[in-house]
Amino acid sequence: MVKRKIRILSVALILLLTVFFTGCGQTQTASTANAPFKLGVIYSTSGASASVGTQEKRSVDLFVEETNAQGGINGHPIEVIFENDDTNSEKAVAAAKKLAYNDQVDAIIGPITSSAIEAVKSVTKEAKVPHLSITGSSPKLTLDNPEWYFRNAISSQFQTKNLVKYSVETLGLKNFAILYDGARTTDQYEGFVKDLNTYNLKPVAAEKFQTGETSFNAQLLNLKKANPDAILVLGMINEGAAAAKQIRDLGIQAKILGVVAFAYSDFIKLGGSATEGTLAVTTFLSTSTQPKTVEFVKKFKEKFGEDPDHGAAHTYDALNLIANSASSGQLSYKDLAADRQKIKDELNKVSNYQGVTSPISYSANDHDGYEDLYLVEVKNGKWEVIK
């Protein structure tokens, strides 16, 4: 009788433990099933990159809203943690550390300037977290073949090459002067000089300015003495628009050239008629008839009341690349290191992805997404594709 009671109690205990552990397993499965995909975004709300930051955040808000409305990524909602760096590299590094280690995000987008991106790369490399930037033109960003960083922007080595080729071969320009930010655009400056050398040309004059400076009369008077056919201005939107106004105010008729940093509607708004005829390069134009671009521009304008610029477009494509990689990688939401590895591995497989910008491709040995671009010119107060 005693033995029977013991057997009954043993069976009951086994059944109870089975139910308990099965329940625990179900609870864990339910929690991971509802776990969010955590995305960190480092952007700027002040400083020279504030206008880019505004467009970036709008694209993130638009993408997350529509993706979560459709069920998220394989049923997992996207949760975004925004960090403002005020266009400051030290703040960007602090933000990256917080996102990677404290918030334990699955991936990071940003920051905006090449110097800040370079600084953040060391954090994302150490933390082994996928890292995409939607701007950053310095060739140095990808020269070391980074494992965890992917550039979703156009390197200046492709920007200046195409700009010089068109200016010399099509426009017949020969005398180039350069006005550049000595702290942030030396790579673009050196690239432009190198590209001029392929035509046996050298700059007729060059002047530096400090980041954030918007008064260039002294530098421009020196450039004017060289009688240039064109002036390449390397800086951010506010600096470029101010330079364009002062170039025309001084009676300089040279062609104004810029790179991707100028290809925003704000450049024209700030510079007004002085920007007319400015030549630049970009990977996106809101007037494109490509179906995905048309749809994106329509949704963006309906929500925010204005057209997106290339910063917004690059952000939107970066978000799609990350979401697609997370989806195809079949994340577990249990092992963060393994999930980050899966996202990175899937990004390395991206080939000719046609988003709202130019086609994007990556490989394990090439993390420069773009090599093709548009040549654009300000005509009648709008950027238009000329090639």
Side-chain angles (χ1 to χ4, degrees):
M1 187 73 176
V2 174
K3 289 182 178 180
R4 185 180 177 188
K5 285 183 179 179
I6 292 173
R7 283 198 298 270
I8 291 172
L9 286 171
S10 298
V11 171
L13 182 60
I14 291 169
L15 289 171
L16 181 62
L17 290 172
T18 301
V19 170
F20 175 77
F21 284 114
T22 301
C24 286
Q26 288 175 341
T27 302
Q28 186 180 36
T29 302
S31 65
T32 55
N34 296 322
F37 179 89
K38 297 175 74 173
L39 176 69
V41 177
I42 306 172
Y43 74 123
S44 302
T45 61
S46 65
S49 301
S51 59
V52 183
T54 297
Q55 290 272 319
E56 180 181 5
K57 187 177 187 303
R58 286 176 173 177
S59 266
V60 173
D61 290 341
L62 175 64
F63 180 84
V64 171
E65 180 182 297
E66 63 186 16
T67 302
N68 284 346
Q70 296 168 5
I73 301 172
N74 292 344
H76 296 269
I78 302 175
E79 176 187 322
V80 182
I81 302 170
F82 288 101
E83 292 291 335
N84 170 36
D85 69 359
D86 291 320
T87 319
N88 179 285
S89 294
E90 291 183 1
K91 287 186 177 181
V93 168
K97 289 180 178 179
K98 174 182 176 294
L99 292 169
Y101 295 110
N102 296 352
D103 299 318
Q104 296 191 324
V105 297
D106 295 287
I108 291 175
I109 287 181
I112 292 174
T113 65
S114 291
S115 56
I117 294 166
E118 185 63 48
V120 167
K121 275 176 57 186
S122 62
V123 178
T124 54
K125 177 183 178 180
E126 180 184 79
K128 296 183 178 180
V129 55
H131 171 202
L132 278 76
S133 70
I134 55 94
T135 51
S137 60
S138 171
K140 293 180 181 178
L141 291 175
T142 50
L143 280 180
D144 58 348
N145 192 27
E147 182 180 0
W148 292 91
Y149 166 71
F150 297 78
R151 190 208 310 261
N152 199 49
I154 186 78
S155 171
S156 64
Q157 65 180 312
F158 302 114
Q159 295 181 45
T160 56
K161 179 180 179 180
N162 285 274
L163 194 61
V164 168
K165 182 177 181 179
Y166 182 79
S167 297
V168 175
E169 294 183 7
T170 302
L171 300 183
L173 304 178
K174 294 181 179 180
N175 300 319
F176 294 86
I178 306 174
L179 177 67
Y180 69 106
D181 182 332
R184 294 190 308 189
T185 65
T186 54
D187 292 322
Q188 290 94 322
Y189 169 83
E190 291 169 0
F192 192 79
V193 172
K194 180 180 178 182
D195 294 327
L196 283 178
N197 284 340
T198 63
Y199 293 92
N200 295 317
L201 297 174
K202 294 181 179 180
V204 293
E207 292 285 336
K208 297 181 184 180
F209 64 84
Q210 294 182 351
T211 302
E213 189 176 347
T214 54
S215 178
F216 310 106
N217 279 345
Q219 296 99 318
L220 291 174
L221 284 171
N222 288 334
L223 296 184
K224 185 178 181 179
K225 295 175 184 176
N227 194 30
D229 299 326
I231 298 177
L232 172 68
V233 182
L234 296 172
M236 300 302 286
I237 294 171
N238 292 351
E239 300 157 345
K245 284 184 176 181
Q246 291 160 42
I247 286 169
R248 297 307 180 222
D249 287 345
L250 289 172
I252 302 172
Q253 298 303 311
K255 186 80 169 175
I256 299 174
L257 309 178
V259 287
V260 163
F262 283 11
Y264 295 87
S265 57
D266 280 355
F267 172 72
I268 300 173
K269 290 177 184 177
L270 293 171
S273 60
T275 65
E276 192 70 19
T278 297
L279 181 69
V281 291
T282 188
T283 52
F284 169 81
L285 210 63
S286 62
T287 54
S288 169
T289 57
Q290 202 273 334
K292 285 188 178 181
T293 305
V294 172
E295 181 184 4
F296 168 64
V297 171
K298 180 176 181 292
K299 290 187 295 187
F300 193 96
K301 193 167 186 176
E302 286 176 351
K303 187 172 181 64
F304 302 110
E306 64 180 22
D307 287 343
D309 58 26
H310 84 266
H314 282 198
T315 302
Y316 196 77
D317 278 347
L319 291 164
N320 272 291
L321 290 172
I322 290 173
N324 291 345
S325 296
S327 177
S328 57
Q330 294 293 316
L331 308 189
S332 69
Y333 294 90
K334 297 177 184 178
D335 186 336
L336 180 61
D339 285 348
R340 288 173 170 176
Q341 180 73 40
K342 289 176 182 177
I343 295 168
K344 185 201 72 172
D345 290 345
E346 292 299 317
L347 284 171
N348 280 329
K349 299 176 186 177
V350 173
S351 179
N352 288 317
Y353 170 77
Q354 182 60 68
V356 301
T357 60
S358 300
I360 304 166
S361 296
Y362 294 119
S363 72
N365 299 315
D366 186 357
H367 285 185
D368 269 314
Y370 300 92
E371 293 187 11
D372 295 325
L373 44 72
Y374 300 114
L375 278 163
V376 293
E377 187 175 15
V378 180
K379 292 185 177 182
N380 300 315
K382 292 183 180 180
W383 287 109
E384 290 188 9
V385 175
I386 57 173
K387 189 175 181 182

